[in-house]
Amino acid sequence: MRRRENYICDSAQEDGMRRVGAQDHGAARRREELGAFARWITLNNALSGLFCASLNFIDSTRTTRPVMTFEPVGDHSDASRANLHLLHGTLPHEVVCTENLTPFLKLLPCKGKAGISSLLDGHKLFDASWQSMAIDVRPVCPAGESECVVEMEQTVDMVLDIERSKRPRDNPIPRPVPREELVCDTSKEYSSEDTCYPLDISYGQSWSLSEVFGRPIKGTCLVEASEGPDSQSVCLNVPADRDVYTSHGVTEFKDASGFSRCFVLPTRDDFELMLPKQSVQSGSPIYPPPLYAERSITGHGQERGGVQTLLTNPSPDTPVEFVYLESLPWFMKPYLHTLKVLLPDEGKQSPSIIKDIYYRPSVDRHRGTQLEIRMLIPAASTVTLTYDFEKAILRYTEYPPDANRGFDVAPAVIRLISSASNTTGDSMYLRTTSLLLPLPTPDFSMPYNVIILTSTVMALAFGSIFNLLVRRFVGADEVEGYDIRRLRALVRGRLLVIKDRLFGTRNEKKIQ
């Protein structure tokens, strides 16, 4: 198994990303496309059972075949590459939860009992502001060896709020900070004794592994043995003047840049990391991302709409080239002739930004729309990508139970081909937020009313016809043991008794 370094960043930054659901992409080796898709369905069913996820719902309507966005990873021969079919599936409504973490940990050598994976507690992980889990599997053929191996890389990303994570589990309810513990920004004009503007204390907060994750690191997982700086397993990105305290028996290696230090974990003892409260003059360098992407739905009404994506290149002197992939559901039908690329600075369309387009239209209830655009954005520029679409009307059986909430649209995938921050040569991927698409929703009470009315009419009609066909009608004098004179005398006697009770009482009162 491939070893990788684990980094902890000492900076509190807000992350505004929404849920992107579940995504998987792979390459199936088959000569025919139908055979590759059959293996793709089998793979998703197997992964669904392995990770307790809903990947088995990835069918032909949620599967695309990227042409420019993804490439086969790992070592493949030229003969096998010719028969590889790339497939990409999305489940934008899927939520990562505890039942996915347990099988994820079981794939590790130490099952989450040792190493940095021992910090992965379900309560802390899924209470984070943002989290994601990923597994990458690729074939690797070492040079000089006849056999190839399968390499698996597992990744967990978390964005934690220090104050929220330090709350005790038995008392997690947030409470107001006492007045004497408030840190106010006195530089504000309205600052006074009874008015406090909270001061940003992102840097210099005190925290430890036990406070944030509820436990220390349980030793190390002995997957491979090595010594020296290359054997570090936990790295911390903090300024050089930041005080860091560790447990006894830990070897520390500092990076030449002064903003990173790594630690060799003890074999059996627990590893504790603590940073005291400190006023830090300089923070760790935060490098801007190579590209900013913001995607939203425009328009109004139940018939048509639009999608707008803002793409910003923050580099002041280097253009960025990337591939933009849209995987749209079949009931969201885009108009390709309305595709526009605008530069707000110039105030007009700039078709030269688009270098290549691959478009695969949707087929109702069989496949979705696939749109891939290769673009080149100049330095320090913002591009607006827009297009219009039409909303299809679904059958009433195709609506989910929460139909009025809307339908989730998978996030767009951006593959960075060239950028100033990409120095490794590997492709970098970004994902936008998912969208919530409102569709025309029928009145679901009408089928219920129709069913009730129809059932009532059918019950009345069936009951009447059934009585006419089954019930036997005979005359009163034809019934055995039936005497009409006796019945008349019995009725007459009852009436006389009732009459005596009513009028007899009145006569007695008059006599008195």
Side-chain angles (χ1 to χ4, degrees):
M1 178 169 289
R2 178 183 175 187
R3 178 188 57 80
R4 60 177 303 184
E5 297 177 356
N6 306 278
Y7 287 88
I8 302 175
C9 184
D10 179 32
S11 61
Q13 302 181 41
E14 295 183 358
D15 195 299
M17 297 186 65
R18 292 171 50 193
R19 179 184 70 240
V20 298
Q23 297 186 5
D24 64 341
H25 64 274
R29 186 180 302 172
R30 277 293 184 271
R31 293 185 178 180
E32 299 179 355
E33 186 174 338
L34 292 178
F37 182 74
R39 295 198 67 179
W40 171 253
I41 295 298
T42 303
L43 173 63
N44 288 327
N45 291 335
L47 293 177
S48 176
L50 179 62
F51 295 104
C52 299
S54 302
L55 298 178
N56 57 312
F57 286 97
I58 297 181
D59 52 7
S60 60
T61 61
R62 297 180 174 91
T63 301
T64 57
R65 293 167 172 80
V67 177
M68 299 182 291
T69 307
F70 298 102
E71 293 181 351
V73 294
D75 299 332
H76 301 274
S77 61
D78 296 337
S80 62
R81 282 182 177 270
N83 297 326
L84 287 180
H85 297 266
L86 294 177
L87 299 106
H88 175 68
T90 59
L91 278 178
H93 193 64
E94 184 71 8
V95 180
V96 181
C97 201
T98 310
E99 64 268 14
N100 310 122
L101 178 63
T102 302
F104 183 89
L105 294 177
K106 289 184 178 180
L107 295 177
L108 297 173
C110 296
K111 316 298 182 184
K113 303 298 183 181
I116 197 171
S117 62
S118 61
L119 299 178
L120 296 180
D121 177 63
H123 296 85
K124 294 293 184 180
L125 174 61
F126 298 108
D127 190 53
S129 301
W130 185 83
Q131 71 277 341
S132 69
M133 299 164 55
I135 296 180
D136 298 325
V137 181
R138 63 181 68 90
V140 176
C141 300
E145 298 184 9
S146 58
E147 296 183 357
C148 298
V149 296
V150 177
E151 181 185 77
M152 183 175 65
E153 180 179 349
Q154 299 178 241
T155 306
V156 176
D157 297 325
M158 302 171 59
V159 178
L160 294 173
D161 183 358
I162 298 296
E163 293 297 330
R164 181 183 179 89
S165 301
K166 289 170 62 175
R167 295 173 189 164
R169 183 181 298 181
D170 56 347
N171 190 13
I173 301 176
R175 288 177 171 80
V177 181
R179 180 181 179 85
E180 59 273 6
E181 297 181 8
L182 288 175
V183 181
C184 305
D185 188 358
T186 57
S187 61
K188 301 295 182 180
E189 298 179 356
Y190 44 80
S191 178
S192 61
E193 295 182 358
D194 56 349
T195 305
C196 177
Y197 185 85
L199 185 64
D200 186 12
I201 52 175
S202 299
Y203 294 100
Q205 298 185 76
S206 63
W207 61 272
S208 64
L209 293 180
S210 298
E211 291 178 337
V212 174
F213 296 97
R215 64 186 72 169
I217 296 179
K218 303 294 184 180
T220 179
C221 187
L222 299 177
V223 179
E224 59 182 22
S226 58
E227 298 180 356
D230 295 335
S231 64
Q232 67 267 13
S233 56
V234 173
C235 295
L236 186 66
N237 292 336
V238 292
D241 55 349
R242 188 75 161 93
D243 294 336
V244 178
Y245 299 98
T246 61
S247 54
H248 182 69
V250 177
T251 307
E252 178 181 353
F253 295 93
K254 292 186 178 181
D255 188 70
S257 62
F259 294 102
S260 176
R261 58 189 74 180
C262 300
F263 306 93
V264 179
L265 302 184
T267 305
R268 298 181 179 179
D269 299 334
D270 294 347
F271 172 74
E272 180 62 82
L273 188 68
M274 184 181 66
L275 282 76
K277 185 176 181 179
Q278 181 181 359
S279 178
V280 182
Q281 301 298 329
S282 61
S284 300
I286 299 177
Y287 302 100
L291 185 71
Y292 290 97
E294 182 180 352
R295 181 164 166 254
S296 60
I297 289 183
T298 60
H300 57 86
Q302 300 294 331
E303 185 178 1
R304 293 182 177 86
V307 174
Q308 174 180 279
T309 307
L310 299 178
L311 303 166
T312 303
N313 180 14
S315 177
D317 53 5
T318 305
V320 59
E321 185 178 5
F322 59 90
V323 177
Y324 181 84
L325 170 63
E326 285 270 23
S327 301
L328 304 178
W330 65 266
F331 47 79
M332 188 175 174
K333 304 177 181 298
Y335 295 127
L336 193 60
H337 71 279
T338 62
L339 181 65
K340 298 179 182 179
V341 178
L342 303 174
L343 278 174
D345 297 338
E346 299 180 2
K348 61 180 181 179
Q349 298 189 34
S350 300
S352 60
I353 294 179
I354 298 179
K355 302 301 180 182
D356 194 6
I357 294 180
Y358 177 82
Y359 176 70
R360 191 183 189 193
S362 63
V363 177
D364 287 355
R365 297 176 178 85
H366 288 283
R367 74 182 185 198
T369 302
Q370 177 181 341
L371 176 61
E372 292 183 87
I373 307 175
R374 185 165 183 166
M375 307 173 62
L376 179 64
I377 298 183
S381 300
T382 299
V383 171
T384 303
L385 177 68
T386 61
Y387 61 86
D388 299 333
F389 64 87
E390 181 182 0
K391 302 177 183 180
I393 299 178
L394 306 181
R395 300 167 182 165
Y396 81 94
T397 56
E398 295 175 339
Y399 285 90
D402 53 348
N404 291 312
R405 172 185 173 271
F407 290 77
D408 291 279
V409 180
V413 181
I414 301 175
R415 175 195 174 190
L416 295 172
I417 300 177
S418 64
S419 62
S421 59
N422 188 5
T423 58
T424 61
D426 298 334
S427 298
M428 298 177 60
Y429 290 93
L430 303 177
R431 285 170 174 82
T432 65
T433 57
S434 58
L435 300 178
L436 195 60
L437 175 66
L439 288 182
T441 305
D443 184 5
F444 289 101
S445 64
M446 289 304 298
Y448 174 77
N449 298 334
V450 171
I451 292 173
I452 295 299
L453 178 61
T454 306
S455 301
T456 304
V457 174
M458 291 182 63
L460 294 175
F462 176 79
S464 302
I465 296 175
F466 183 81
N467 288 333
L468 292 175
L469 295 177
V470 176
R471 181 173 293 181
R472 182 183 178 185
F473 296 92
V474 296
D477 53 349
E478 298 179 6
V479 179
E480 185 178 354
Y482 179 80
D483 188 358
I484 187 63
R485 297 178 179 178
R486 183 180 179 182
L487 179 61
R488 290 177 179 175
L490 181 62
V491 173
R492 188 180 296 111
R494 295 289 183 182
L495 293 176
L496 290 175
V497 171
I498 296 174
K499 182 178 180 181
D500 293 340
R501 289 181 179 178
L502 294 176
F503 297 100
T505 305
R506 295 179 181 179
N507 295 333
E508 291 178 359
K509 290 182 178 180
K510 291 180 180 179
I511 294 174
Q512 292 176 358

